[in-house]
């Protein structure tokens, strides 16, 4: 959703753009104002992605406004004057709409904004989630890299843990709690004292029994201490919620 702010010193002009924004499903009008100085305060307070901005206004022109926000959000100019177009695009605005603005022209600018935001979002790195863990190997100073997507489940065995990846088992000298803290909670959940399961590898849940997609032999029982937290995750992901 693109959060929008509309700034124009003429209220009828605001109402037109606000009505257009309401017609676009991926846009939301967060605020409007006839005062560009107040608009600066709104940007500092609210999560604004895009400003529809008039140019010829009292106190602060649209050109000065863009310079003042220093790239905090994107801008589309809405103005009756075409003489500022070159300067506007030099300030890296998304589009330049001349009043009266037809809805078809507005929609073209809105789609351009959507494409820009989507491209920027796709360029962002993944949300900080690790995609592997490192386990100590059999010999001193050796380590084994294990991709999180390969892990079916992890079983505690005394002072060791067994990381099961399909038919492959990796034994590591570490505590279950230490390993649990390294794993992203969005992907792994402890279902009993001795087992951590990859949520994405679960095939079926029948009562207290968990069956995994890639490991038909594994029959993991949900412990009473961990059952409520586990079932809460399951309920949140039910298709018929």
């Amino acid at each position: 959703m693109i959060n929008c702010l509309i700034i124009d010193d003429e209220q009828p002009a605001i109402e037109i753009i606000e009505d257009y924004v309401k017609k676009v499903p991926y846009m939301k009008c967060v605020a409007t104002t006839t005062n560009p100085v107040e608009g600066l305060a709104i940007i500092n307070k609210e999560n604004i992605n895009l400003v529809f901005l008039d140019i010829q206004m009292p106190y602060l022109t649209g050109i000065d406004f863009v310079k003042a926000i220093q790239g905090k959000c994107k801008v589309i100019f809405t103005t009756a004057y075409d003489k500022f177009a070159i300067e506007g695009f030099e300030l890296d605005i998304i589009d330049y709409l001349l009043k009266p603005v037809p809805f078809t022209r507005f929609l073209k600018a809105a789609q351009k904004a959507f494409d820009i935001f989507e491209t920027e979002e796709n360029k962002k790195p993944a949300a900080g989630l690790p995609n592997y863990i490192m386990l100590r190997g059999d010999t001193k100073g050796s380590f084994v890299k294990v991709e999180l997507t390969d892990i079916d489940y992890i079983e505690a065995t005394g002072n060791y843990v067994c990381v099961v990846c399909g038919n492959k088992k990796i034994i590591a000298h570490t505590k279950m709690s230490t390993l649990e803290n390294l794993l992203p909670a969005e992907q792994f959940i402890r279902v009993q004292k001795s087992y951590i399961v990859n949520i994405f590898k679960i095939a079926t849940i029948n009562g207290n029994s968990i069956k995994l997609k890639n490991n038909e032999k594994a029959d993991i029982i949900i412990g009473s201490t961990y059952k409520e937290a586990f079932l809460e995750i399951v309920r949140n992901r039910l298709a018929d919620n």
Side-chain angles (χ1 to χ4, degrees):
M1 185 67 68
I2 301 174
N3 292 332
C4 302
L5 167 65
I6 304 169
I7 305 175
D8 198 304
D9 62 334
E10 297 179 354
Q11 185 60 36
I14 287 178
E15 292 171 0
I16 291 171
I17 299 300
E18 186 176 12
D19 181 60
Y20 286 174
V21 168
K22 290 178 181 178
K23 288 180 168 64
V24 180
Y26 50 80
M27 284 185 164
K28 177 184 178 182
C29 183
V30 174
T32 70
T33 180
T34 56
N35 185 336
V37 177
E38 182 182 333
L40 291 176
I42 292 171
I43 286 176
N44 289 328
K45 181 180 178 182
E46 303 288 345
N47 178 27
I48 303 296
N49 308 121
L50 178 64
V51 182
F52 290 95
L53 181 66
D54 190 15
I55 294 180
Q56 294 285 56
M57 296 181 290
Y59 309 118
L60 196 67
T61 70
I63 299 294
D64 291 333
F65 185 94
V66 174
K67 293 176 180 178
I69 62 175
Q70 298 181 332
K72 287 183 179 178
C73 46
K74 302 293 186 183
V75 172
I76 293 177
F77 276 144
T78 57
T79 176
Y81 306 95
D82 59 6
K83 62 181 179 179
F84 301 104
I86 294 176
E87 188 174 1
F89 284 111
E90 286 177 347
L91 292 171
D92 201 28
I93 64 168
I94 288 179
D95 212 336
Y96 194 100
L97 303 180
L98 286 174
K99 299 175 182 177
V101 182
F103 179 67
T104 52
R105 181 64 183 88
F106 174 89
L107 194 58
K108 183 178 179 180
Q111 187 59 47
K112 187 176 179 182
F114 177 84
D115 291 341
I116 288 172
F117 283 115
E118 186 176 46
T119 299
E120 290 182 353
E121 188 66 28
N122 290 337
K123 286 181 179 179
K124 290 181 180 178
L129 291 178
N131 56 15
Y132 68 91
I133 54 173
M134 299 296 295
L135 301 175
R136 292 188 182 277
D138 296 331
T139 59
K140 186 177 181 180
S142 67
F143 298 89
V144 180
K145 180 181 179 182
V146 183
E147 300 289 338
L148 298 187
T149 53
D150 292 339
I151 299 173
D152 295 327
Y153 67 94
I154 300 164
E155 180 183 2
T157 56
N159 294 326
Y160 295 83
V161 297
C162 178
V163 180
V164 180
C165 306
N167 296 323
K168 183 179 179 181
K169 294 184 178 181
I170 303 165
I171 306 297
H173 184 60
T174 186
K175 294 179 180 179
M176 196 72 157
S177 56
T178 301
L179 200 53
E180 184 179 17
N181 290 333
L182 291 175
L183 297 169
E186 294 85 354
Q187 187 175 353
F188 291 89
I189 185 169
R190 198 161 184 171
V191 296
Q192 61 159 282
K193 186 177 180 180
S194 300
Y195 284 89
I196 294 174
V197 172
N198 186 339
I199 297 171
F200 302 147
K201 296 296 184 74
I202 294 175
T204 62
I205 302 165
N206 188 3
N208 291 333
S209 176
I210 297 173
K211 292 287 188 182
L212 302 176
K213 295 177 182 178
N214 303 326
N215 202 314
E216 296 179 358
K217 294 181 180 179
D219 186 7
I220 300 171
I221 303 302
I222 306 168
S224 57
T225 303
Y226 303 91
K227 185 174 182 179
E228 185 56 37
F230 175 75
L231 293 180
E232 182 63 25
I233 290 176
V234 173
R235 284 192 289 267
N236 289 338
R237 300 190 183 194
L238 279 176
D240 61 352
N241 269 355

